[in-house]
Amino acid sequence: MKIPRHDRRQFLHRAFKLTAGGVALPFAGAAKAAFPRAQSAVPELISGPQRVLAFNHTHTRERIDLTYAINDQYVPDALRTLNRFLRDHYSGAVGQMDPQLFDLLHQVRLALGGSALPAFEVISGYRCPETNSHLRNSRGGGVAKRSLHMEGKAIDVRLPGVPLAELRDAAIALGVGGVGYYPSEQFVHIDTGRVRRWG
């Protein structure tokens, strides 16, 4: 069931106040690819046996909808499929995405309306060092030298039907990783690095 917008805003406002005040939201389990039963640093808003994500890639025009985790374990085949889907669309290089990034996206989606929402639109996932260097030198700024995209720990997305500022606020409210706001380019950057925000 879709969460009414006014309820979404109240939740995001309360959660943002908690995280801005240094209060951590409850943490729950999710596993890293190499250690399927390790604990995740991603707050669990709603628990369930399966974690599902859907993406539309704005550059490759590919679409994907899959279960990437069941209970406290990631699904290895699903992670491999996601690695391929989120490859560097410039070079075709396939990286290894951080599964906790998928947990962040899953929680953002739950906070904003869950399965009633359309797929995330992906602008950029993995980025190889050569692509990152080229973009950094050709775009006059805006691309970090040590971008977490090169480590598979960052993704740039938008969510059709959800105002970009609400997507940003939902990601910030989790209190995990970095969140960048790019309204001119129409995407939000989400990563599993240290907690910070910009834009």
Side-chain angles (χ1 to χ4, degrees), residues 2 50 65 74 99 106 112 127 155-156 166 168:
K2 187 170 182 178
Q50 295 186 342
D65 186 339
Y74 291 113
H106 177 69
L112 293 170
R127 196 183 294 156
I155 193 167
D156 300 334
E166 285 192 28
R168 173 203 60 197

Side-chain angles (χ1 to χ4, degrees), residues 30-33 40-42 51 53 55 68 74 79 82-83 86 96-109 120 122 124-126 148-157 171 174 176-179 188-193:
K32 288 188 175 181
S40 172
V42 179
R51 295 196 289 286
L53 282 173
F55 296 108
Y68 74 93
Y74 291 113
L79 295 185
L82 285 165
N83 287 342
L86 295 170
Q96 184 170 342
M97 302 300 293
D98 180 357
Q100 291 194 24
L101 186 61
F102 304 137
D103 288 336
L104 281 175
L105 293 171
H106 177 69
Q107 297 304 343
V108 165
R109 188 180 175 85
F120 281 103
V122 177
S124 182
Y126 174 73
L148 291 178
H149 284 278
M150 296 188 294
E151 299 178 35
K153 294 182 176 182
I155 193 167
D156 300 334
V157 293
L174 292 178
V176 178
V179 180
V188 172
H189 167 102
I190 298 173
D191 69 49
T192 57

Side-chain angles (χ1 to χ4, degrees), residues 72-90:
D72 63 348
Q73 291 191 324
Y74 291 113
V75 179
D77 285 345
L79 295 185
R80 284 190 286 271
T81 299
L82 285 165
N83 287 342
R84 171 73 181 161
F85 181 85
L86 295 170
R87 66 191 179 277
D88 183 331
H89 64 270
Y90 291 96

Side-chain angles (χ1 to χ4, degrees), residues 1 33 37 54 65 67 80 100 117 154 156 181 197:
M1 174 185 280
R37 292 186 178 275
D65 186 339
T67 298
R80 284 190 286 271
Q100 291 194 24
L117 293 174
D156 300 334
Y181 182 54
R197 68 186 74 134

Side-chain angles (χ1 to χ4, degrees), residues 116-163:
L117 293 174
F120 281 103
E121 291 185 349
V122 177
I123 289 80
S124 182
Y126 174 73
R127 196 183 294 156
C128 73
E130 293 78 14
T131 293
N132 197 75
S133 178
H134 171 73
L135 294 176
R136 180 173 168 78
N137 293 328
S138 64
R139 294 198 174 173
V143 177
K145 185 176 183 179
R146 295 181 179 87
S147 171
L148 291 178
H149 284 278
M150 296 188 294
E151 299 178 35
K153 294 182 176 182
I155 193 167
D156 300 334
V157 293
R158 57 181 170 245
L159 196 50
V162 175

